[in-house]
Amino acid sequence: MKIFGNKKILIILIAIITFIFFWDHNKFVSKQHEISKNISSIFKDNAKNEFFFIAHAGGGINNSKYTNSLEAINKAIKNGYKLIEIDLIETSDKKLVGAHDWKLFSKLANCCENKIPNLKEFNSSKILENLTPVDYNMINKIFSKNKELILVTDKTNNFDLINDLFIFDDKRIIVEVFGRKNYFDAIKKGIKNPMYSASIKHTKNEMNFINDYNIQIISVNSEDFIENYHQYKKLKNKGVIIFVYTTNDLKFVNETRDIASSFYSDFININSMICETSKCETY
């Protein structure tokens, strides 16, 4: 064929084929992505106390954790929290509600044993006999009313449902993402602030992945954070926002706050900077 007699055309074709073969579309997508300006500005320098702590699972209440209850969230807001984490899972009729998992919810609420409840059944229950469960409607009300609050999600990676059900400013939602494929899917589906759940301890080439793909927010458990402190310090120095879970120990906070951008906590009262429980530990 005449086309292959032309060396220039042949070289161009080879270059195009090579580019297509080796081009990493996910890297292109992640490199182009920038988190919301309001989130990046909060953590550009060391955050103030109200953003330096995240109310873990809505915050602790009555010495209990993981309730994700309305009363816990209201207490966290009263105690100065601006970052509220809520565990989100799906009911049987595909609505998002605040619960760590259905097994624990069944135990805490004495409800729905051996089955996933629908939204009506979920809202009809009481957590620890007198605490109110929250669904997506209640979350919308809380965050629409309190425009300075930022929602941090956990558990669900159903990005379509997050986009469909939450009606307040999506720039005030930080979505924890599990797995590398989900991270790229989150960006493609319009999640403004995807937070990659990282683990240098358990995941091969994690540092390279975070650096190469322009990951801007990560969450990491306290054990991994402590064991790989200097690695996470390198990420922090490059501008990565690092959320560490979970601690109620102010000594640990003070020793590591130069690296961590924010700490998940159950019982630290930000207004008084006191841990309001008998067991103030990192876990």
Side-chain angles (χ1 to χ4, degrees), residues 66-68 86-89 97-102 105 122 155:
Y66 295 107
T67 69
N68 290 281
I86 301 177
D87 299 317
L88 296 175
I89 56 177
V97 297
H100 186 272
D101 59 81
W102 287 122
F105 181 79
F122 174 82
K155 300 295 173 281

Side-chain angles (χ1 to χ4, degrees), residues 101-260:
D101 59 81
W102 287 122
K103 184 177 180 180
L104 179 59
F105 181 79
S106 174
K107 181 179 178 181
L108 293 177
N110 194 24
C111 162
C112 326
E113 188 174 357
N114 298 322
K115 77 165 194 173
I116 298 175
N118 60 35
L119 185 64
K120 184 177 179 180
E121 291 170 328
F122 174 82
N123 283 328
S124 298
S125 63
K126 285 290 183 181
I127 301 166
L128 298 175
E129 298 184 350
N130 63 354
L131 300 178
T132 308
V134 298
D135 66 2
Y136 71 97
N137 284 311
M138 182 57 69
I139 294 170
N140 279 326
K141 287 180 182 178
I142 293 169
F143 285 83
S144 295
K145 179 182 177 181
N146 300 279
K147 299 187 184 302
E148 76 284 4
L149 295 182
I150 295 168
L151 172 64
V152 182
T153 74
D154 190 7
K155 300 295 173 281
T156 188
N157 275 179
N158 189 334
F159 308 121
D160 290 330
L161 212 50
I162 290 172
N163 288 330
D164 290 344
L165 295 181
F166 292 129
I167 60 174
F168 61 96
D169 184 4
D170 59 0
K171 296 182 182 66
R172 292 194 288 121
I173 305 176
I174 298 173
V175 178
E176 185 170 20
V177 179
F178 304 95
R180 297 180 178 182
K181 180 181 181 300
N182 278 337
Y183 182 79
F184 304 125
D185 288 345
I187 295 173
K188 292 171 187 176
K189 293 195 174 182
I191 298 299
K192 298 295 190 297
N193 303 301
M195 175 173 63
Y196 176 68
S197 180
S199 176
I200 292 175
K201 180 177 181 180
H202 296 293
T203 309
K204 187 177 180 181
N205 298 323
E206 194 75 312
M207 283 284 290
N208 290 340
F209 176 74
I210 294 168
N211 284 319
D212 290 348
Y213 288 87
N214 192 36
I215 310 296
Q216 297 165 70
I217 315 175
I218 64 172
S219 62
V220 56
N221 73 58
S222 55
E223 181 183 2
D224 189 14
F225 178 73
I226 293 167
E227 287 187 16
N228 297 284
Y229 182 82
H230 293 291
Q231 296 282 73
Y232 286 110
K233 184 176 182 179
K234 290 179 182 177
L235 291 176
K236 178 65 179 293
N237 290 339
K238 290 183 177 181
V240 177
I241 297 168
I242 303 173
F243 288 179
V244 179
Y245 59 92
T246 304
T247 187
N248 298 296
D249 181 2
L250 285 163
K251 183 175 182 291
F252 173 73
V253 169
N254 289 327
E255 288 174 346
T256 58
R257 65 183 298 155
D258 59 326
I259 305 303

Side-chain angles (χ1 to χ4, degrees), residues 72-109:
I73 293 169
N74 285 337
K75 181 185 176 185
I77 295 171
K78 185 179 179 180
N79 282 348
Y81 285 84
K82 302 298 185 187
L83 291 161
I84 310 291
E85 185 219 27
I86 301 177
D87 299 317
L88 296 175
I89 56 177
E90 294 178 34
T91 59
S92 61
D93 46 353
K94 303 300 179 185
K95 303 299 182 184
L96 290 175
V97 297
H100 186 272
D101 59 81
W102 287 122
K103 184 177 180 180
L104 179 59
F105 181 79
S106 174
K107 181 179 178 181
L108 293 177

